[in-house]
Every structure is written in structure tokens, then in C-alpha cells.
Amino acid sequence: MTEDLEAHARKMAKKAAAREKIMATKTEERGLVIVHTGKGKGKSSAAFGMIFRCIAQDMRCAVVQFIKGGMETGERRLIAAHFADLCAFHTMGEGFTWVTQDKARDMAMAAAGWETAKRLIRDPEIRMVLLDEINIALRYGYLDLDEVLAFLRAEKPPTTHVVLTGRNAAEALVEAADLVTEMTLVKHPFRSGVKAQPGVEF
Amino acid sequence: MTEDLEAHARKMAKKAAAREKIMATKTEERGLVIVHTGKGKGKSSAAFGMIFRCIAQDMRCAVVQFIKGGMETGERRLIAAHFADLCAFHTMGEGFTWVTQDKARDMAMAAAGWETAKRLIRDPEIRMVLLDEINIALRYGYLDLDEVLAFLRAEKPPTTHVVLTGRNAAEALVEAADLVTEMTLVKHPFRSGVKAQPGVEF
């Protein structure tokens, strides 16, 4: 047992040294373009988790919800009640498009959301801007992908993180991004009749 | 244009009806076993996002960190400062095992973490328990998988959600879980020399 523990300690020391060497090469600080996509759960929750990381670090941040449903009113209420000084929260959509059934209004909402997003991203005091479910607005053609990409390339301050969530991220957005995670659906309880529940989905 | 909008409204109305029909079959409320695994980023952030959803819904919840590094001290401080009445927070590990280089201590920490976890899960007032990075402790053999699964099966109250995070989730855990998301690494900026940054990683 003692020998086993010593062998373990040696192996771990080697791992620690290797890791330290690798991490020493990671020196750049840079505002990232981050994409959460895929059919699995967790795209908005993980983005929301990063917004709370910013709040915990006293970094100013902002959320623009393009389509209601990703981050629900509970989260919005919580941020408004406790952290309104650090995090601005804008909800532009009035619900998923198959609920509103009004494309003209949806397009106007998306355009207004994008104007708000540009203003927030341009403000160098704001260190992270979450564009929640913007991929849906891009996919439906409510926003112009080239314009969004050109803006991020030209006008995002170098230390600002921008997080874009939603299924079906455009190929060109994935190309342009620094950090892309696909939330892959392995198993989902909706399939066995469980409904959306507080704490889990909203 | 008008015709296009009308066609869109008809299409969306059909979608809304189909969705309503499907959602009407989802009636069960049930405490879920939720697993976030995979090599991508977002496993702990998404779990942390759900903890904040619980807090936003005034649901009691708890976090046990098996390995430090998933959810960092910033988040812990934030919860302790604002939401200690709703969310208990226990950090059991002292860092990744290749940093501590002490297997005996790591095993004792993991065992203590699991005792704490069992106590929290048994408390029916606590509606969500996050076991952050427990998959690492299971993979290193610091905890016994069969014991963890048997406990969840036999003693988890029916309305309690338990969230287990970490790479390399065991096959039997995925089998036993209700909701499993794999965070798939598409692109990560560490590879191009960017270091871990506040708001994003911690």
C-alpha cells in the first residue's frame, strides 16, 4: 500500500510538472467569442453560469435575450434584485416564433435586440455580453449573419467576451469563434413524459 | 411580402399546435438524476446556472465540490454573501489530484464529500444537490460507483434533483440518469495560447 501510494505520488508529480509546462505557454488574455450550440440542454444555463462568474468577479456584464425561453424570468428577477448594478438585462423577444406567429414583429424585435447588443458590446466597461438564443434569430433570417460577424470582428473591444447561444450555430460563426462547445443530447427526460421543471429548465 | 408573412403565420400556427400536443403529454414532475460530461467546457457552468435557477425559484439547494477547480471561489463567495440561506456550499477537495500528489488524502476527502452529499440528498427540503466533479473522484476509484448508484436509487427523495458533473461519466451512471448532456469540445482557445480568464473559467 505504501509503495502504491509512492508510485501514485511520483506519477502525479510528473503530471503536475507536465501540466505546469503546458500552462506556462498560455499567457494571452483576450476577449473571446464563445458559442454554445447543439441539441442538448445546457447552452443557456452554461452561459448564465458565466454571467454569474463575471458578477462574482465584479466584472460588468450584460444579457440580451433574443428569444424568450432560454433564460427565464426567474433568472432575470434574481439579477434585477441583486446585481442590477453589474449586469444589464434586456429581453427582446416575446416568445418562440411558433408561439408569436408574427414574423414582421419577430424581425423588428430581433433588429431592436441587435441594436441593443451593439451598444452594449461597444461599451468597453462591459466585459461580457451574452446574446442568448441569437442563433435562432440568425437561422430564421431575422438578423444578417455577415453583419453580425463583421461587427464582432471590427468593433468588439479586445477584452470583451461575447457569448452566442442557440441550436444550429452557423458554420461561419463557428469559424469566427474562439471557443465553441456543442451540447450533445445523450438522454432527455421529455422523451419519457417528464415536463419542464423549475430549477432545471427555468 | 404580405403573402410570405401569411404563409409564415400559417406554418408557425401548425408548429405551435404540434408543439402544444407534444407538451400536453409531458405531465410528470420528478426529481432527476442529471449528468454533465464530455471534454468540452460548460459542465460545471451549466450546473451552476441550474443552481442559480433554483435560487431564483426560492428552492433550497446545495453544492458539494469534489475536486476544486470546477466551480471556483468567486462563485462560492457570491453564494455565501447573498444566498447562504438557500444554498449550502461544501468544498471537499483541495485541488486536482495531480496538484495535491497525495492519494490517501484525496481518498479521505472524497469519502468525506460523499458523506456530506448523502446527508444533503436525504434532506427532502433540499430540492437540488450538485455533486461537482464527482465523476473524477469515481474515475480515480476514490468513490465506489455501485454504492453511489445504489444510494441514488434507494434514498434520493422523489422530488430531488441530483446533478453529477465531470469528464468520463461511467457507463452505468449514464444508464441510471434521466438527463445526460455531453459537452463536446469543438474549439478551445487554450490550444492557441489563451490562458484561463476570470468570468470565463473562474
Side-chain angles (χ1 to χ4, degrees):
Chain A
M1 186 62 186
T2 311
E3 261 177 69
D4 171 55
L5 288 179
E6 279 168 13
H8 175 86
R10 271 197 305 278
K11 192 172 143 198
M12 290 297 126
K14 221 169 142 183
K15 250 193 168 165
R19 192 182 153 80
E20 207 169 307
K21 210 168 154 185
I22 291 169
M23 291 316 283
T25 67
K26 319 293 180 201
T27 52
E28 196 191 344
E29 272 194 61
R30 196 200 327 153
L32 305 174
V33 174
I34 300 172
V35 174
H36 293 174
T37 192
K39 291 184 179 171
K41 204 181 127 38
K43 299 180 288 294
S44 291
S45 337
F48 187 40
M50 285 196 289
I51 285 291
F52 272 100
R53 276 189 184 147
C54 287
I55 291 171
Q57 299 284 354
D58 264 321
M59 290 160 61
R60 282 189 57 205
C61 51
V63 178
V64 181
Q65 284 189 287
F66 281 85
I67 311 276
K68 203 172 131 190
M71 294 174 64
E72 280 289 346
T73 45
E75 286 105 302
R76 184 181 180 153
R77 213 172 42 229
L78 187 76
I79 288 176
H82 295 275
F83 311 113
D85 55 327
L86 279 170
C87 183
F89 206 118
H90 300 268
T91 303
M92 307 311 295
E94 296 201 0
F96 283 106
T97 189
W98 56 79
V99 178
T100 66
Q101 297 168 33
D102 184 339
K103 190 176 178 181
R105 194 179 61 185
D106 285 354
M107 291 190 77
M109 291 270 179
W114 178 237
E115 288 308 309
T116 303
K118 286 195 286 187
R119 179 174 58 74
L120 294 164
I121 293 168
R122 281 192 188 110
D123 180 348
E125 299 291 307
I126 299 178
R127 302 287 307 285
M128 179 181 283
V129 181
L130 166 55
L131 307 179
D132 194 46
E133 302 287 5
I134 192 174
N135 290 341
I136 309 289
L138 288 165
R139 183 167 168 84
Y140 277 96
Y142 295 171
L143 294 177
D144 183 62
L145 178 64
D146 292 336
E147 195 202 317
V148 170
L149 294 178
F151 178 84
L152 292 177
R153 209 162 38 232
E155 300 203 42
K156 184 183 82 58
T159 57
T160 301
H161 305 294
V162 177
V163 187
L164 304 96
T165 75
R167 290 182 181 206
N168 299 113
E171 198 48 57
L173 174 61
V174 170
E175 271 306 306
D178 302 289
L179 170 52
V180 181
T181 305
E182 180 169 330
M183 275 63 176
T184 309
L185 178 77
V186 178
K187 201 189 241 185
H188 200 295
F190 286 175
R191 297 203 169 163
S192 59
V194 176
K195 68 178 183 181
Q197 298 180 85
V200 180
E201 272 89 13
F202 58 91
Chain B
M1 187 64 185
T2 310
E3 259 177 68
D4 173 54
L5 288 179
E6 278 168 13
H8 176 85
R10 271 196 305 278
K11 193 172 144 198
M12 290 298 128
K14 220 168 143 185
K15 250 194 168 167
R19 192 182 152 81
E20 208 169 304
K21 208 167 154 187
I22 290 168
M23 292 316 284
T25 68
K26 318 293 181 201
T27 51
E28 197 190 346
E29 273 195 61
R30 195 203 323 157
L32 304 173
V33 174
I34 299 171
V35 174
H36 293 173
T37 192
K39 291 184 179 172
K41 202 180 129 40
K43 299 180 286 294
S44 290
S45 336
F48 187 40
M50 284 196 289
I51 285 290
F52 273 100
R53 278 191 183 147
C54 288
I55 290 171
Q57 300 283 353
D58 264 321
M59 289 160 60
R60 281 189 58 203
C61 51
V63 178
V64 182
Q65 285 190 286
F66 281 84
I67 311 276
K68 202 172 133 188
M71 294 174 65
E72 281 288 345
T73 44
E75 285 105 300
R76 185 180 179 151
R77 214 173 41 230
L78 187 76
I79 288 176
H82 295 274
F83 311 112
D85 53 328
L86 278 171
C87 183
F89 206 118
H90 300 268
T91 303
M92 305 313 293
E94 297 201 358
F96 284 106
T97 189
W98 56 78
V99 178
T100 66
Q101 297 168 34
D102 185 339
K103 190 177 179 179
R105 194 179 60 184
D106 285 353
M107 292 191 75
M109 290 272 179
W114 177 237
E115 287 308 310
T116 302
K118 286 195 286 188
R119 180 174 57 74
L120 294 165
I121 293 168
R122 281 191 187 111
D123 180 347
E125 299 290 308
I126 298 177
R127 303 287 307 284
M128 181 181 282
V129 181
L130 166 56
L131 308 179
D132 195 46
E133 302 287 7
I134 192 173
N135 290 342
I136 310 290
L138 288 165
R139 184 169 166 83
Y140 277 95
Y142 295 172
L143 293 179
D144 184 62
L145 178 63
D146 291 336
E147 196 202 317
V148 170
L149 294 178
F151 178 84
L152 291 177
R153 210 164 34 234
E155 300 204 41
K156 183 182 83 56
T159 57
T160 301
H161 305 294
V162 177
V163 186
L164 304 96
T165 76
R167 288 181 183 210
N168 299 114
E171 198 50 55
L173 174 60
V174 170
E175 272 304 306
D178 301 288
L179 170 53
V180 181
T181 304
E182 182 169 328
M183 274 66 175
T184 309
L185 179 77
V186 178
K187 203 188 238 184
H188 201 295
F190 286 176
R191 299 204 169 162
S192 59
V194 176
K195 68 179 182 179
Q197 299 180 85
V200 180
E201 271 88 14
F202 58 89

